């Protein structure tokens, strides 16, 4: 029996592709001990995501405490509470954006509850949100944190070692990861490399305009519903394995 492992940073209220990847894996490693990077040409989904508003997409962002922090691992990130109103504003934005949608009553309460209990750690809140969504979707994938499984190596070598540490004989990569996930390294380790092949499904969105892909999974859950979102994840096709 093949054991498939996938890895990803613990993003903030991630998009459908994140959970499609999780749904196709037996073990999903949350890379919480990698360095948090942010720059003018880099979108960092660890601390922000787009949601669907009545008039089009909106950004939700977690304010990161940066002063004196230097380089930080994701697990060390904390919110900057100089303006403590950010959380109240975020909760209000989510309620205004999705409160009137068909499936909000079964989706929003557990998500908002996690946010209300935010204790300062961005990583802990992100992981709790991911676990909450995975539970809503009835995903049986085992979630582990890389910080709890220290292994040697960097880049592809570390992914190989994390796969081994979790008993995997296949690694599932996202799309567009060819620059750092080298097939030869997986093959040399006797690990099959699979690619997700995610194609974003479309569903009716509240704005009524052209479909906007890449929004938080909350958009699909609130507007299409839990069962329909679970079905959309299953539409993903896993591309052939190489060993």
């Amino acid at each position: 029996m093949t054991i498939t492992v996938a890895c990803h940073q613990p993003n903030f209220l991630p998009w459908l592709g994140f959970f499609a990847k999780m749904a196709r894996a037996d073990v999903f490693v949350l890379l919480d001990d990698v360095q948090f990077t942010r720059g003018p040409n880099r979108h960092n989904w660890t601390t922000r995501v787009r949601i669907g508003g009545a008039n089009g997409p909106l950004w939700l962002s977690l304010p990161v405490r940066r002063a004196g922090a230097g380089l930080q691992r994701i697990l060390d990130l904390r919110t900057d509470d100089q303006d403590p109103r950010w959380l109240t504003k975020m909760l209000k934005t989510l309620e205004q954006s999705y409160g009137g949608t068909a499936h909000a009553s079964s989706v929003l309460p557990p998500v908002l509850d996690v946010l209300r209990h935010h204790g300062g750690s961005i990583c802990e809140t992100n992981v709790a949100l991911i676990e909450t969504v995975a539970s809503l979707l009835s995903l049986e994938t085992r979630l582990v944190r890389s910080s709890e499984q220290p292994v040697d190596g960097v880049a592809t070598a570390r992914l190989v070692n994390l796969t081994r540490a979790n008993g995997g004989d296949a690694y599932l990569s996202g799309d567009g990861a060819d620059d750092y996930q080298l097939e030869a390294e997986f093959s040399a380790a006797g690990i099959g490399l699979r690619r997700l092949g995610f194609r974003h499904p479309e569903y009716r969105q509240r704005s009524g305009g052209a479909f906007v892909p890449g929004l938080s999974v909350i958009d699909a859950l609130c507007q299409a519903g839990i069962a329909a979102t679970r079905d959309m994840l299953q539409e993903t096709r896993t591309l052939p394995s190489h060993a």
Side-chain angles (χ1 to χ4, degrees), residues 82-168:
Q82 288 186 352
D83 182 359
R85 295 173 297 175
W86 70 265
L87 181 53
T88 300
K89 292 177 180 177
M90 181 178 288
L91 294 171
K92 184 176 180 180
T93 298
L94 282 165
E95 289 171 334
Q96 289 178 337
S97 296
Y98 294 117
T101 56
H103 303 278
S105 62
S106 56
V107 175
L108 276 187
V111 170
L112 296 180
D113 187 60
V114 170
L115 289 170
R116 289 192 186 101
H117 286 86
H118 172 69
S121 169
I122 289 174
C123 184
E124 291 304 317
T125 292
N126 285 3
V127 171
L129 288 168
I130 289 166
E131 291 174 340
T132 296
V133 172
S135 178
L136 287 172
L137 292 168
S138 300
L139 299 183
E140 298 180 355
T141 307
R142 182 164 64 92
L143 298 180
V144 299
R145 304 190 193 196
S146 58
S147 60
E148 298 172 350
Q149 298 184 321
V151 298
D152 295 330
V154 296
T156 304
R158 189 169 191 228
L159 298 181
V160 167
N161 291 335
L162 282 169
T163 302
R164 284 173 163 169
N166 286 282

Side-chain angles (χ1 to χ4, degrees), residues 196-207:
L196 184 62
F198 181 70
R199 295 177 178 176
H200 204 301
E202 294 190 11
Y203 52 89
R204 185 182 297 277
Q205 293 176 322
R206 185 178 181 185
S207 63

